[in-house]
Amino acid sequence: MHHRHPDIDPQLLSETEEQRELRTVLRDFFTEESGPEDVRKHLATPRGHDETLWARLAGEIGVHGLAIPEEFGGSGFTFAELAVVLEESGRALYCAPLLPTVVLAAHALLNSGDQQACERYLPRIADGTLTATVAGFEEAEPGVVAERSGPGWVLRGAADFVLDGAGADLIVVRARTPEGARLFACEPADDTCPRTPRRVLDETRRQALVDFRGAPATPVGESGEVTAALDAGRAALAAEQVGGSGHALDVTVQFVAQRRQFGRPIGSFQAVKHRLADVLVALEAARSASAYATACVALASPQLPVAASAAAAVCSETYRLATAEYVQLHGGIGFTWEHPAHLYVRRARSSEVLFGTADQHRTRLAELVGLTTRPAA
């Protein structure tokens, strides 16, 4: 049973001066280079994002290596700095695979304790030359089986709705072996690992069906434990959701201050003020939940499972509320393709179920704090 009181120094929940400077740089960068029209344009490309921009983020700002240790080619900062990036990328609806590459795959490799795998892959993640993802992490019983083939291993089976599954250069796969689940690194080839893009609600976050047909793979670490990597993903997603919610609130406030009815701005009507105040209150709660989850990842706190699920539940519902008001207080314009509101609605709705629904996270929280007798997953 987890302690019910936080073990994080409250000062760690506030931004440092360096983090504020990083936020300013990133906000200016995304405003100039990745606006709504840029996002729309790159959604139609084979890779789904601006590969030049991806390289610039890695090379000019060092985004990809922020939370990677210096011994593996990174900058040696913490997840707290990476969370700033994720929040600003969520605010801009940046459509490149930051979440699967620099959070899920990178943390899975780091948590595995496999020095050789980290040395092989993390420097290329840090410099932006390798995109990566994970498969089979949320399944109690992975749908992929690892078999010995001569001196090595091959993978058979399938994993569906893999983030950036059609384009990633590396897939960290949790697969079954006779000794139990274990992690494997697979560099997919067309003949042994065909990948089929799925049609998804949020086109800014591509997913795919990945078939493993005797795909060569290399064992990573000694176990198939991925809970910490998944919880890091939940904390990262919460930061994204806070950024998206903040954008939705800001642009809606600007709009209601300009839009006039009955000779006055619609933002002056009490009903509109109350609705926006509700979003602001929810956003502040989401910021707090996200900050706590971020600190838990950065410090490898034992409270991370509780913090990650709390952030997932709170931030998902906040993002849904903020984007709903974004649409409604713009007069329902989000139903048209010409306005960016619908892109945020799609991101909000798809993010709600990405690592479990809010209800599933509440159930997990109840189990973690001892309110139920069933053991937590």
Side-chain angles (χ1 to χ4, degrees):
M1 177 173 166
H2 287 246
H3 297 294
R4 301 191 185 192
H5 300 289
D7 60 353
I8 301 294
D9 183 342
Q11 290 187 340
L12 297 176
L13 304 181
S14 300
E15 279 191 346
T16 65
E17 184 60 36
E18 280 186 335
Q19 290 165 1
R20 281 191 289 272
E21 291 175 0
L22 175 62
R23 184 181 300 281
T24 299
V25 169
L26 287 165
R27 188 165 299 186
D28 291 344
F29 183 85
F30 283 127
T31 299
E32 293 175 7
E33 306 293 344
S34 188
E37 292 309 311
D38 297 298
V39 171
R40 291 176 191 273
K41 179 177 69 175
H42 292 293
L43 289 181
T45 64
R47 196 63 183 87
H49 66 269
D50 186 343
E51 295 182 78
T52 301
L53 193 64
W54 175 263
R56 287 183 60 195
L57 275 172
E60 295 177 17
I61 306 178
V63 161
H64 303 61
L66 279 173
I68 293 177
E70 291 180 284
E71 64 178 306
F72 301 128
S75 303
F77 288 98
T78 72
F79 188 82
E81 284 71 35
L82 184 56
V84 174
V85 175
L86 291 159
E87 186 176 335
E88 291 304 313
S89 71
R91 184 182 182 90
L93 214 67
Y94 182 53
C95 53
L98 278 174
L99 179 61
T101 299
V102 305
V103 180
L104 293 171
H107 278 77
L109 292 168
L110 285 168
N111 294 341
S112 74
D114 189 320
Q115 185 81 9
Q116 187 174 358
C118 289
E119 290 175 350
R120 180 174 182 178
Y121 296 116
L122 289 178
R124 287 190 284 158
I125 288 178
D127 67 17
T129 58
L130 181 80
T131 57
T133 190
V134 300
F137 275 36
E138 292 186 84
E139 303 170 12
E141 189 70 13
V144 181
V145 176
E147 302 173 352
R148 288 193 179 275
S149 176
W153 293 80
V154 295
L155 302 177
R156 301 189 188 280
D160 208 351
F161 295 102
V162 176
L163 294 176
D164 196 39
D169 305 311
L170 169 71
I171 305 177
V172 181
V173 185
R174 183 169 172 265
R176 285 180 285 143
T177 73
E179 293 76 33
R182 190 172 179 184
L183 294 185
F184 292 85
C186 174
E187 298 180 44
D190 291 341
D191 56 340
T192 58
C193 189
R195 298 179 280 177
T196 307
R198 288 300 199 192
R199 185 177 181 183
V200 290
L201 177 65
D202 177 16
E203 294 178 329
T204 67
R205 179 164 278 147
R206 294 190 173 187
Q207 301 179 47
L209 169 65
V210 182
D211 279 312
F212 299 95
R213 302 176 181 176
T218 304
V220 175
E222 298 295 330
S223 77
E225 176 54 47
V226 294
T227 301
L230 270 177
D231 281 333
R234 290 169 180 132
L237 184 62
E240 272 194 10
Q241 291 169 321
V242 167
S245 300
H247 165 84
L249 178 60
D250 288 349
V251 296
T252 304
V253 168
Q254 292 172 9
F255 178 79
V256 300
Q258 298 168 0
R259 173 73 172 174
R260 300 179 69 84
Q261 285 185 343
F262 307 109
R264 55 192 283 199
I266 63 172
S268 65
F269 295 113
Q270 192 171 38
V272 173
K273 291 180 180 179
H274 284 175
R275 290 171 69 166
L276 291 174
D278 287 343
V279 175
L280 178 60
V281 170
L283 178 56
E284 290 306 309
R287 287 191 195 282
S288 296
S290 174
Y292 182 50
T294 292
C296 286
V297 178
L299 297 176
S301 167
Q303 287 291 312
L304 174 58
V306 171
S309 279
V314 172
C315 296
S316 290
E317 294 188 342
T318 296
Y319 202 6
R320 174 191 273 219
L321 172 65
T323 53
E325 297 294 20
Y326 186 4
V327 170
Q328 293 301 318
L329 293 177
H330 276 76
I333 198 169
F335 288 103
T336 70
W337 286 101
E338 287 74 19
H339 197 277
H342 79 93
L343 295 173
Y344 285 87
V345 171
R346 289 166 181 257
R347 174 65 71 86
R349 296 305 295 270
S350 67
S351 296
E352 278 187 84
V353 298
L354 189 54
F355 299 124
T357 65
D359 285 345
Q360 288 171 329
H361 283 295
R362 289 192 182 93
T363 299
R364 185 187 188 215
L365 281 169
E367 293 163 355
L368 287 168
V369 301
L371 297 180
T372 63
T373 57
R374 190 175 66 183

